[in-house]
Amino acid sequence: MPFRTRYTGLIERYRDRLPIHDDTRIISLGEGNTPLIRLNNIPRIIGKDVDIYVKYEGLNPTGSFKDRGMTMAVTKAVEEGSRAIICASTGNTSAAAAAYAARAGITAFVLIPDGKIAMGKLAQAMMHGSVVIQIKGNFDDGMRLVKEVATEAPVTIVNSINPYRLQGQKTAAFEIVEELGRAPDYHCLPVGNAGNITAHWIGYCEYSSASGDHVTGACAFCEGHCKYAGGAVVGNRPHMVGYQAAGSAPFMRGHMVDNPETVATAIRIGHPQSWDYAWKVKEESGGWFDECSDEKILAAQKLLAEKEGVFCEPASATSLAGALADIASGKIPEGSTIVCTLTGHGLKDPDTAIKQSTAPMLTVEAELDAVKSAILDNMT
Ligand code: F0G
């Protein structure tokens, strides 16, 4: 008898809530089940009585939340007989697609913006043996090309327009509700294509519906793939708050943005694919969108790393940067329970981290006295 049950990924864990057959071959790397970490120091530093948790999605197998969606998308692609998958990506989707394709023994084609993805992500796509196609354009150009080429070549799109992606990603909301024993009051996420904020809302709705809290109707989000009965659900769901980088904020402008720019390259997206869904999520949940400057994003990334020991990539820190601004203004009131999703690991983008780091780095002679004075001079 095994000592305890081995965790084998989110499809096995939530099999009864996902569109999976008994005999489906599951392509998994043990994704999901990520830590929900309560911030101990930051609430004290900002002097506010709030309970902030970070859902550390950077601890998924390829270092981002994309693995939740990719296990489902690749499992279904293989089930449907596909031999190749394709995506456009700012880096994390391509890393996940490459890894899960390798696991499944199929080919991944990834279109990435030339020179605009973080080094760790490029390394992943290359190491997992995907076919990397750098395009002289941005993510939005890549997305348009992927949609066009998929009508002419035998490839399955695994961007979040693939409905199975959102099905996998909704499980993050299940985990949060199960761990907290309720939904948070506010759930804050960085927004690019707005697939993840939509997926979380599906998850919360489905969970509260499964708890008997719902009114009947049809789920507006998932084309019948989820088991959410839908409609106006009462209680047990958070306000969904989506934050964008200021240079790349179509939801704030109210229209698509050409030539988006931000240090948070993962969310350098001007034409979000889940545009309509995201507006619906905002309305249904009583949430909102806001924007953060690159400066504030990097400051939040650093604060988390220095004061809590949690290292996320710049795009991920947008959720905390936005939440801190809304807590400071009182829009998120004291007494609230808040979850911020940290979508990707800090090691994805070492260049940006090192560039903005102010931690002392000393070079001394390899002698006891030199090391000793370096320590004594820097004691706090
Ligand atoms: N955070 C990170 C680290 C991301 O990689 C992404 C999206 C997002 C947030 C935004 O999520 O698009 O669902 O609103 N990255 C995609 C990619 C575009 O290609 O890796 P969203």
Side-chain angles (χ1 to χ4, degrees):
M1 280 288 281
F3 180 61
R4 64 191 196 99
T5 312
R6 200 165 68 88
Y7 180 79
T8 51
L10 60 85
I11 295 181
E12 285 296 0
R13 178 162 174 191
Y14 294 112
R15 173 177 269 284
D16 58 333
R17 297 176 193 205
L18 292 167
I20 287 290
H21 303 293
D22 287 347
D23 59 352
T24 303
R25 177 186 158 214
I26 292 168
I27 313 297
S28 170
L29 290 165
E31 58 293 310
N33 201 23
T34 54
L36 186 66
I37 303 169
R38 185 164 185 260
L39 299 189
N40 288 336
N41 299 319
I42 291 176
R44 189 169 37 77
I45 292 166
I46 62 173
K48 295 281 186 182
D49 174 24
V50 280
D51 238 350
I52 312 177
Y53 295 84
V54 291
K55 180 74 168 159
Y56 197 12
E57 291 287 273
L59 290 195
N60 275 296
T62 78
S64 88
F65 73 96
K66 304 288 180 179
D67 296 343
R68 290 184 186 272
M70 208 53 74
T71 184
M72 273 301 301
V74 174
T75 291
K76 294 304 278 190
V78 168
E79 184 178 66
E80 288 160 12
S82 182
R83 298 293 311 148
I85 58 174
I86 190 166
C87 65
S89 182
T90 55
N92 282 323
T93 300
S94 51
Y100 283 81
R103 184 83 165 159
I106 62 174
T107 305
F109 296 97
V110 306
L111 270 71
I112 55 172
D114 190 10
K116 286 286 188 179
I117 80 166
M119 200 51 81
K121 303 174 188 180
L122 183 60
Q124 289 178 291
M126 294 173 76
M127 275 306 279
H128 292 305
S130 65
V131 180
V132 179
I133 305 169
Q134 297 209 55
I135 56 160
K136 293 176 180 160
N138 60 24
F139 170 86
D140 301 311
D141 297 316
M143 199 60 238
R144 177 178 46 78
L145 289 163
V146 160
K147 285 182 186 166
E148 282 169 19
V149 84
T151 64
E152 299 187 9
V155 288
T156 302
I157 299 178
V158 294
N159 281 102
S160 56
I161 56 171
N162 176 326
Y164 298 120
R165 278 277 311 274
L166 300 194
Q167 285 298 299
Q169 286 169 218
K170 76 183 180 185
T171 58
F174 296 168
E175 291 175 16
I176 291 165
V177 174
E178 283 165 9
E179 205 155 323
L180 292 179
R182 51 167 287 213
D185 300 311
Y186 297 87
H187 189 130
C188 305
L189 290 126
V191 169
N193 277 311
N196 209 25
I197 196 168
T198 304
H200 277 77
W201 185 239
I202 294 172
Y204 283 120
C205 293
E206 194 176 326
Y207 207 97
S208 78
S209 133
S211 322
D213 255 356
H214 71 98
V215 181
T216 52
C219 175
F221 298 99
C222 69
E223 299 157 14
H225 291 292
C226 81
K227 300 184 181 156
Y228 166 46
V233 180
V234 271
N236 212 37
R237 298 188 305 178
H239 302 286
M240 302 298 295
V241 187
Y243 297 111
Q244 300 212 279
S248 180
F251 285 103
M252 293 308 292
R253 307 294 162 259
H255 55 76
M256 302 296 171
V257 169
D258 293 329
N259 306 316
E261 248 345 307
T262 169
V263 68
T265 50
I267 51 171
R268 189 170 162 268
I269 294 169
H271 291 239
Q273 297 298 310
S274 293
W275 178 258
D276 293 338
Y277 284 163
W279 286 110
K280 213 167 161 42
V281 170
K282 169 191 168 291
E283 236 127 80
E284 281 192 8
S285 75
W288 63 88
F289 298 115
D290 212 332
E291 62 192 293
C292 306
S293 66
D294 279 3
E295 206 181 6
K296 287 271 162 57
I297 291 171
L298 293 178
Q301 183 196 19
K302 199 148 176 268
L303 188 70
L304 257 180
E306 284 187 354
K307 302 300 179 192
E308 301 283 359
V310 178
F311 190 21
C312 68
E313 67 170 287
S316 310
T318 309
S319 59
L320 182 68
L324 291 179
D326 283 333
I327 292 166
S329 75
K331 192 165 183 183
I332 295 179
E334 292 205 56
S336 298
T337 297
I338 303 146
V339 171
C340 294
T341 299
L342 301 182
T343 43
H345 202 287
L347 290 173
K348 291 271 191 176
D349 189 356
D351 298 329
T352 306
I354 290 170
K355 248 185 253 159
Q356 68 142 339
S357 176
T358 50
M361 179 135 96
L362 311 170
T363 306
V364 300
E365 296 299 327
E367 287 165 7
L368 178 60
D369 280 351
V371 174
K372 195 166 130 195
S373 46
I375 290 170
L376 296 179
D377 292 349
N378 286 283
M379 293 290 270
T380 48

